[in-house]
Amino acid sequence: MIQLTINGQLQSLPVPERTQGSEGCPVSGPTVAQLLAHMALQGKRIAVERNGEIVPRSQYGEQVLASGDRLEIVVAVGGG
Amino acid sequence: MDDFVVAGTAYSSRLLVGTGKYRDFDETREAVDASGARIVTVAIRRTNLGQNPGEPNLLDVLPPSRYTILPNTAGCYTLEDAVRTLRLARELLEGHTLVKLEVLGDPRTLYPNMAETLKAAEILIKEGFQVMAYTSDDPVAARQLEEMGCVAVMPLASLIGSGMGILNPWNLQIIIDNANVPVIVDAGVGTASDAAIAMELGCDGVLMNTAIAAARDPVLMASAMKKAVEAGREAYLAGRMEKRLYSASASSPTSGLIAGGAKKTA
């Protein structure tokens, strides 16, 4: 499990099997795409910021999350 | 065609609408349709982490293929928050750069913080955004925003959501006279006549949300606002007659009256 702060809330995210190291230690965290899938947000009209930087959609599958990352996941809502 | 041009793009409507405070997405869509607006502003907020996967999304109701979605920074009190919000919006809207910047300075009045707004505008413009800036009705602030490269200046008519109408037409007049970019009254319009007055003053457009959403019948008010903006614009283009207090001038011929002539004056 890794600890992430998502939209200001502390969340635990399981590390997927294929990213586990030989003794169960994660060699790298899950990707942004895996997080979005875990949250049932894949394919939704959202945008993601990680530690203050925008994560372009094209990099969802590449950017690997680490414990302590701060994420913002936003949508468009009604407003004036 | 009297198109409204902002940042090089022509729009067929001079009414810009917000999407907040509606009962549901159906009402939002019906009101936006009735308003005829082509530019529709939306807020950017954190996703609800516990949300239903099937929850409808505003952008499904108002698809960017059909409307120009104008993301805004409503609720931001610092330039950092405003800039971050719009960077997220640009990513959300696949590179869309036309944005509405507002940096608020006071939670009770929602009055803009112009020092922060100016700084945020500068950063955003450098990053390639086309900034439409919410501003106080201070002609100097409006000019500074224009000089910096904002594509439109959007002075308040009165406080956001107040419906108090146009409280200082003279300042708006000065802003309009000075401006070389579109001037859009943003905030304070309460009813159709307010929108018409803004347009008669020479504003290029009007942006509103609460005046429509908080009407008893929002869809009907949206239709009224569409007509008011069109009527106000036509009146502005037509050029109103001079006001002539105490020098009445009859519209009908003054001779040939059956009683034999005009009333004698002393």
Side-chain angles (χ1 to χ4, degrees):
Chain A
M1 300 287 267
I2 61 169
Q3 301 292 318
L4 303 169
T5 303
I6 304 173
N7 293 352
Q9 293 179 35
L10 201 60
Q11 304 264 318
S12 296
L13 181 69
V15 178
E17 290 282 328
R18 63 181 183 78
T19 57
Q20 303 269 337
S22 55
E23 286 163 335
C25 302
V27 291
S28 64
T31 62
V32 172
Q34 284 165 335
L35 169 68
L36 297 179
H38 179 74
M39 298 175 72
L41 288 174
Q42 74 273 49
K44 303 277 182 192
R45 293 179 194 267
I46 55 162
V48 180
E49 184 198 76
R50 178 181 169 222
N51 300 329
E53 300 288 332
I54 297 294
V55 182
R57 199 156 311 187
S58 59
Q59 289 181 22
Y60 286 175
E62 295 155 34
Q63 284 213 18
V64 174
L65 298 168
S67 252
D69 277 356
R70 287 172 297 105
L71 292 137
E72 294 288 343
I73 305 175
V74 300
V75 287
V77 301
Chain B
M1 222 4 229
D2 174 42
D3 277 337
F4 167 52
V5 178
V6 61
T9 303
Y11 299 91
S12 58
S13 173
R14 292 175 179 273
L15 174 58
L16 295 76
V17 295
T19 52
K21 300 182 180 172
Y22 287 100
R23 191 177 61 226
D24 52 34
F25 281 164
D26 282 341
E27 190 181 72
T28 310
R29 183 174 35 75
E30 284 173 41
V32 171
D33 278 348
S35 76
R38 307 312 311 152
I39 301 178
V40 177
T41 188
V42 303
I44 303 296
R45 291 291 181 273
R46 288 170 159 174
T47 54
N48 181 357
L49 292 183
Q51 77 178 0
N52 313 322
E55 197 172 51
N57 181 305
L58 180 62
L59 296 181
D60 296 333
V61 179
L62 301 170
S65 55
R66 223 179 128 201
Y67 302 96
T68 295
I69 301 295
L70 184 69
N72 66 52
T73 59
C76 291
Y77 282 83
T78 65
L79 80 96
E80 290 83 5
D81 284 354
V83 168
R84 279 175 73 195
T85 297
L86 292 177
R87 286 176 184 150
L88 279 161
R90 178 160 62 177
E91 178 59 25
L92 179 66
L93 295 166
E94 288 159 14
H96 172 88
T97 55
L98 186 69
V99 296
K100 171 182 159 176
L101 171 67
E102 65 178 74
V103 185
L104 302 177
D106 175 49
R108 196 162 66 89
T109 61
L110 302 179
Y111 212 78
N113 178 332
M114 292 317 299
E116 292 277 294
T117 301
L118 285 159
K119 284 187 256 177
E122 190 168 17
I123 293 168
L124 290 165
I125 291 164
K126 274 196 193 129
E127 294 187 10
F129 286 93
Q130 295 174 307
V131 177
M132 301 171 72
Y134 177 59
T135 175
S136 62
D137 62 2
D138 170 358
V140 176
R143 194 187 61 214
Q144 287 171 325
L145 288 165
E146 177 181 337
E147 285 171 352
M148 171 175 292
C150 288
V151 298
V153 293
M154 305 204 288
L156 51 79
S158 50
L159 299 181
I160 293 174
S162 70
M164 292 288 287
I166 295 168
L167 298 186
N168 194 339
W170 310 108
N171 270 33
L172 291 178
Q173 191 71 67
I174 295 167
I175 291 171
I176 292 162
D177 289 348
N178 289 342
N180 297 299
V181 293
V183 176
I184 298 163
V185 155
D186 179 0
V189 165
T191 187
S193 53
D194 297 334
I197 290 168
M199 295 308 295
E200 287 171 7
L201 282 170
C203 287
D204 296 279
V206 180
L207 193 161
M208 65 181 75
N209 186 344
T210 310
I212 296 173
R216 192 174 62 239
D217 182 340
V219 178
L220 189 57
M221 186 58 89
S223 165
M225 291 299 187
K226 175 180 198 258
K227 291 168 185 159
V229 167
E230 287 171 359
R233 177 66 179 175
E234 286 186 6
Y236 167 73
L237 293 175
R240 63 153 297 146
M241 64 167 283
E242 269 177 64
K243 287 184 183 177
R244 289 185 296 223
L245 190 60
Y246 300 130
S247 56
S249 161
S251 304
S252 308
T254 49
S255 60
L257 287 147
I258 55 166
K263 192 172 182 177
K264 290 207 172 71
T265 49

